[in-house]
Amino acid sequence: MSDLISLLAETWAYLLANSARFFELLREHLTLVFVSEALAIIVAVPLGIAATRNDRVNSIVSGFGNVAQTVPTLAIIALAFPILGLGFLPSVVGLFAYSLLPILTNTIAGIESVSDSTVDAARGMGMTDWEILRKVRLPLALPVIFAGIRTSVVLNVGSAYLAFFIGGGGLGVWVIGGIKLFSTTQLLAGAIPGALLAITLDGLLGLAQRRLGTETASDRTAAAA
């Protein structure tokens, strides 16, 4: 126990002594996560919507998402390297591909979970298919879609460590560097903040998801009344 406390104290001292470098790596890590996640949302949500409108598109989109998720992030980054070179861009491409599936599957599941009776009621009020999608299906599916985004973000925080291998920066610089130098202090200085970041983002997104779920339940109650 005393050894663990001593190790954590050394890690804290290392962070304080290298605070400028730490915040630089943290900024790079956050940029990788949020840029790739934003791109994944922009692509996956419309694809998920399109997949619910056409069975053939559904099979194609789902197959693409499953392949992207099955291939390891490092392999995707390695495939992007010969085309895009080293640095930020290939790292974002790899993380983007790995982020797609949770958002894609939850978008499809959320939209398809809206009951037929709700859709029929909206259609009986004279709504077009586009209006039903925009005013009924998407608002009711939002908590499920948000759950996919939450899962994707947490996965991305961990996967972003691999960006180090092609010069993408981030906290992986300290983690991989610590392994190479047999420096447990440097390794923990990169690993612990990443773990805390994932827990924090998961908690914040979880609160937002529960709030969305509460608002959606209230809207359903009001509509039923």
Side-chain angles (χ1 to χ4, degrees):
M1 187 65 179
S2 60
D3 290 341
L4 177 60
I5 294 174
S6 176
L7 183 58
L8 292 176
E10 291 176 8
T11 302
W12 178 248
Y14 183 89
L15 283 170
L16 291 177
N18 300 274
S19 58
R21 179 59 172 158
F22 167 70
F23 284 113
E24 179 186 354
L25 295 176
L26 180 61
R27 177 185 58 79
E28 293 173 355
H29 204 93
L30 288 171
T31 303
L32 286 169
V33 170
F34 288 130
V35 171
S36 59
E37 193 65 32
L39 291 173
I41 292 170
I42 291 171
V43 172
V45 173
L47 281 178
I49 293 171
T52 62
R53 316 289 289 182
N54 187 290
D55 290 338
R56 185 176 180 183
V57 174
N58 192 337
S59 62
I60 294 173
V61 167
S62 298
F64 171 76
N66 287 326
V67 168
Q69 186 74 17
T70 302
V71 179
T73 310
L74 187 58
I76 297 175
I77 291 175
L79 289 172
F81 162 64
I83 302 171
L84 302 174
L86 295 171
F88 177 78
L89 183 58
S91 302
V92 167
V93 170
L95 294 173
F96 157 77
Y98 200 68
S99 303
L100 285 174
L101 186 62
I103 304 173
L104 188 60
T105 54
N106 277 46
T107 299
I108 295 171
I111 292 175
E112 290 182 344
S113 68
V114 178
S115 66
D116 292 338
S117 59
T118 302
V119 174
D120 291 340
R123 189 168 285 117
M125 295 171 63
M127 290 187 182
T128 63
D129 288 343
W130 167 247
E131 288 174 329
I132 291 172
L133 175 65
R134 184 168 57 88
K135 295 181 180 180
V136 179
R137 287 186 182 273
L138 280 178
L140 294 177
L142 199 55
V144 180
I145 296 172
F146 204 84
I149 295 172
R150 177 185 175 187
T151 301
S152 181
V153 168
V154 174
L155 288 173
N156 234 355
V157 171
S159 300
Y161 279 91
L162 300 175
F164 162 81
F165 290 106
I166 55 171
L171 294 170
V173 172
W174 274 2
V175 171
I176 308 301
I179 294 172
K180 288 182 176 180
L181 298 173
F182 299 99
S183 172
T184 306
T185 300
Q186 183 178 336
L187 189 156
L188 291 177
I192 292 175
L196 294 176
L197 176 62
I199 293 169
T200 301
L201 290 176
D202 183 60
L204 293 174
L205 293 173
L207 289 173
Q209 182 186 339
R210 283 192 290 273
R211 182 167 182 176
L212 283 173
T214 302
E215 291 177 354
T216 300
S218 299
D219 292 341
R220 283 177 173 171
T221 304

